[in-house]
Amino acid sequence: MRQLAKTLERQEKILLSLSRFSYLSRSQIQIIHEIPSERTAQRVMQQLSKYVSSFMDGEKIFYLNAEGRKYTGCEKICKKMTTSRHYIMRNDLYIAYNCPDDWKNEMRLLYKDVNVIADALFESNGIRHIVEVDHTQKMQANKVKIEKYRKLLEYGVLKNIRLVWMTTTNYRKKKLLEMMGDIQGQVFTISDFH
């Protein structure tokens, strides 16, 4: 009886994670929910097949289906699409920063003439981290976003921040670091995590 309760609790936590993060790879589910083996993770996800859909993108990527959204109260509809890689990259950063409790996705920062949506925000050691994922974005769009953060710093709205980027190539990493200039932060590439 206790084992069944534990199994149901883990399943519910996984469904709530999918509601929170939209897409999770099998290995991300394993890390976040401390599932020891790939085989066990596959079995757990098979048991959740009523609530989740999946597709292959290097490894299995899971998301809530209609039944899963109904169970969790999630309103966001996810499908198999290329933008899922953006979410997977953001999740890699969430895991790299030890799954912060205060991690919030898609947060709007608005002040005067500046309106910007950060991919995620969290705080660590008194420093607010602003997370941005550059998957297929044009460099000009990244530049505009960085300038908005610079303006918020100049207005004094943002203080003690660290801008954290995840991108795809070393060339893009170099460009982002150049554009950030004196803004505190760092840029990771996918290869830093895989």
Side-chain angles (χ1 to χ4, degrees), residues 160-176:
N160 207 15
I161 66 152
R162 190 167 185 78
L163 191 52
V164 180
W165 284 86
M166 169 76 100
T167 191
T168 52
T169 66
N170 283 323
Y171 171 78
R172 294 179 78 82
K173 175 180 182 173
K174 182 177 173 230
K175 286 290 179 197
L176 287 166

Side-chain angles (χ1 to χ4, degrees), residues 67-163:
E67 199 65 33
R69 289 192 307 276
K70 192 160 56 173
Y71 181 85
T72 61
C74 179
E75 294 177 13
K76 183 173 184 173
I77 298 171
C78 295
K79 302 268 186 220
K80 177 186 174 186
M81 54 188 189
T82 55
T83 57
S84 64
R85 179 59 39 200
H86 174 93
Y87 294 89
I88 298 300
M89 289 168 67
R90 181 175 66 192
N91 299 342
D92 282 339
L93 285 172
Y94 170 74
I95 290 166
Y97 280 95
N98 297 316
C99 308
D101 290 335
D102 65 340
W103 181 282
K104 291 185 177 45
N105 293 327
E106 308 297 325
M107 295 300 296
R108 181 179 302 275
L109 301 172
L110 181 63
Y111 185 76
K112 291 187 179 179
D113 59 335
V114 181
N115 183 3
V116 63
I117 298 175
D119 286 326
L121 294 175
F122 72 98
E123 200 165 300
S124 176
N125 299 324
I127 299 170
R128 176 183 267 176
H129 290 68
I130 298 172
V131 175
E132 288 295 341
V133 175
D134 166 47
H135 179 235
T136 56
Q137 190 110 313
K138 289 186 172 26
M139 266 303 162
Q140 184 57 36
N142 291 333
K143 185 176 183 178
V144 166
K145 217 165 199 189
I146 289 169
E147 289 311 311
K148 287 181 178 184
Y149 289 127
R150 185 176 272 56
K151 223 171 182 182
L152 289 173
L153 282 164
E154 288 168 7
Y155 284 147
V157 175
L158 294 179
K159 294 179 179 120
N160 207 15
I161 66 152
R162 190 167 185 78
L163 191 52

